[in-house]
Amino acid sequence: MPDPAQPSGPLQYVQRATFGFIERVTHHKAQDIPQLYNGLPLLREDAQALGNQNVATLKLKLKIRNGRNIRMAPQPATLQRVVSLVSIVRQYNALVELRRNVLWRHILEPGRADVFAEIQPVTETLRTQLRGYNPSQQRAICTAAKVAMQPVNLPRVCLLQGPPGTGKSHTIVGIVDKIIRDTQGKGRICLCTPSNAAVDEVIRRLISHKKRVTRDPNQLPYGLRVVRIGKMSSVHKDVAKHTFSEIVHGHIQNEIARKKEKNFPQSSQRELASLAEKISVLSNQLEHMDPADTNNVHRKRLQADLQKLEQKKADLKYQYRNINKSTSLTPAEEYEIKKNVLWRAHVICGTLNSFGSGSVQNLLRSRHPGDQSSFFFNCIIMDEASQATELDCLIPLQYGTSKLIMVGDPEQLSPTVLSRKAEQKCFGQSMFERMYGYYKYKEHNPVILLDTQYRMNPEIAAFPSQYVYEGRLLSDRCVEERGHNFPLKPYLVFNIDEGQEQSSQAGSIKNEAEAHFVAMLCHKIIRHTDIPQTDIGIIAPYQSQKSLIVDYLRQWKMASIEVGTVDGFQGREKEVIIMSCVRASSSGGIGFVGNRKRMNVALTRARSAMYVVGNLSSLERPGGDWRILIDDARNRSVVLECGEISHYV
């Protein structure tokens, strides 16, 4: 940016839209605002209108073509926000810092067998300790905990694959619990995910686990201290009291109260306690006086005495308040409280990006008295790692931690990337997926698969298990028993031959015949069963189709049925899921409906009934995944023409 103080030619004024970024924001105190306006002549006329409102000044850097001898035009300008650069700057800083972490070479080039954790055997003793977990979960817990306990100079990576309904969050809780036990309550864990919703869900699981085990002190003798970092506006109310800001606020208030009590003379404290006791005695006497007692003189005397004592107590409290009105903490005292809250935590939870916050980094990187560890965290546990970009995954590694435990499923949705150019450069591939792909067909495969699912009826799980997870995904006996009493058939594919897709001007696609059929199917389910509307979910891959189905449902008084995209249902479940595939044309492809990961997510959201609705000739024409699904459905005799609706109830 040129220096306008030293022009080398005639000045030119910027009088058009100009791109730039905010370098610094300064908030000004009320008493400084008049002086600020004196230095900004253009704002003097607005000063009176603004009154005592908060004012901030911004330092801008502008990108101007041929920018020599440029000044801003001497008139008010309007700022329009385009995008926040905070996340991008944090990603950039993480990339720059990567080489400082001993894991950097193994992240870029996976392959060393000693770095990628070998699956640990589960002894009989450990099997007894982990009796609330199935064998694959026990292997995952033991392996991950062993990784966390290795010396700090040894880089280690642990990969846990959790297909739908296999208890990933339950397993993460088990890993956290075992690490805390193995470190005798001295361990510290960074638990991070790409999204706020996922962070809050795993915190709920940790809180629930803490409540369950603390009933028996022998179960978790070291307690479980959880702190959630990040913006309060992004945190669910269920976990708000575990946020860093709430915990710090509580400690600050306690410290201020302690200071106030220290400032209040002991004699006054004793007098206040004595007054409270006397007031209690008189109040009790008045309360127990016989209403039939006609001795009004005695009652009036007691009431007068009580009033005097209460006035004296109020005066003493007023004096106390005046003494302590200005009681507060110094910035250094507040900083120590913030640092202690984080340093005493067993688990610090947040989004990947929140661990790039400068304030959090300053607190975590400062040395705590008596702490002998080389790095703050024993390990990083990264949940939903297959949905995070590689750059986001690097952010928590800035703390130097040499143990990385990634939990996710590369067979489900990848990170969302809007830029087509970035997608072509593999920016949409997660670190977990890259490592998973490297080891998938190698003899030494360190990826631990959670192999038992507790969500889907076995008929629903059959195709994803066989086709996506190579027959390794098993169904627990409980899901089969649960299906015996369910009033619907578990898995059906409806063929809507007459349906045709229609494209909107915005490029979205809808299919009237499918939308009407889906609404009719829902109506039949509601009418012939006692399944509530809230237990039914409809997946529509396009916004136009979603809107159309919602309109039909409202007309038929079924507005409580949730309609969403595949992305919206990721990580969730319903008793009944109906998928509208939409695509139906005599020629051409099927767009992102043909994406294998999206198909897998859609097919694994239902607990008891999964219904696929589509034009089968259009879906199977390109070949690939949908042709295999339709062939499988025909072999299992679960394909129905739309006229055969009565077969599903």
Side-chain angles (χ1 to χ4, degrees), residues 105 330 631:
R105 191 182 301 277
T330 65
D631 287 345

mmCIF file of all heavy atoms in Angstrom, residues 105 330 631:
data_model
loop_
_atom_site.group_PDB
_atom_site.id
_atom_site.type_symbol
_atom_site.label_atom_id
_atom_site.label_comp_id
_atom_site.label_asym_id
_atom_site.label_seq_id
_atom_site.Cartn_x
_atom_site.Cartn_y
_atom_site.Cartn_z
ATOM 1 N N ARG A 105 6.659 -35.715 8.628
ATOM 2 C CA ARG A 105 7.087 -36.580 7.528
ATOM 3 C C ARG A 105 6.102 -37.729 7.306
ATOM 4 O O ARG A 105 5.831 -38.139 6.185
ATOM 5 C CB ARG A 105 8.483 -37.122 7.816
ATOM 6 C CG ARG A 105 9.128 -37.814 6.624
ATOM 7 C CD ARG A 105 10.490 -38.360 6.989
ATOM 8 N NE ARG A 105 11.388 -37.308 7.451
ATOM 9 C CZ ARG A 105 12.091 -36.525 6.636
ATOM 10 N NH1 ARG A 105 11.976 -36.656 5.313
ATOM 11 N NH2 ARG A 105 12.900 -35.598 7.129
ATOM 12 N N THR A 330 -7.279 -7.955 38.670
ATOM 13 C CA THR A 330 -6.343 -7.370 37.712
ATOM 14 C C THR A 330 -6.284 -8.260 36.468
ATOM 15 O O THR A 330 -6.628 -9.446 36.525
ATOM 16 C CB THR A 330 -4.938 -7.261 38.318
ATOM 17 O OG1 THR A 330 -4.443 -8.597 38.565
ATOM 18 C CG2 THR A 330 -4.954 -6.481 39.623
ATOM 19 N N ASP A 631 -29.570 -54.506 -9.008
ATOM 20 C CA ASP A 631 -29.443 -55.953 -9.228
ATOM 21 C C ASP A 631 -29.581 -56.710 -7.907
ATOM 22 O O ASP A 631 -30.243 -57.763 -7.847
ATOM 23 C CB ASP A 631 -28.091 -56.269 -9.872
ATOM 24 C CG ASP A 631 -28.019 -55.846 -11.335
ATOM 25 O OD1 ASP A 631 -29.101 -55.577 -11.918
ATOM 26 O OD2 ASP A 631 -26.906 -55.759 -11.876
#
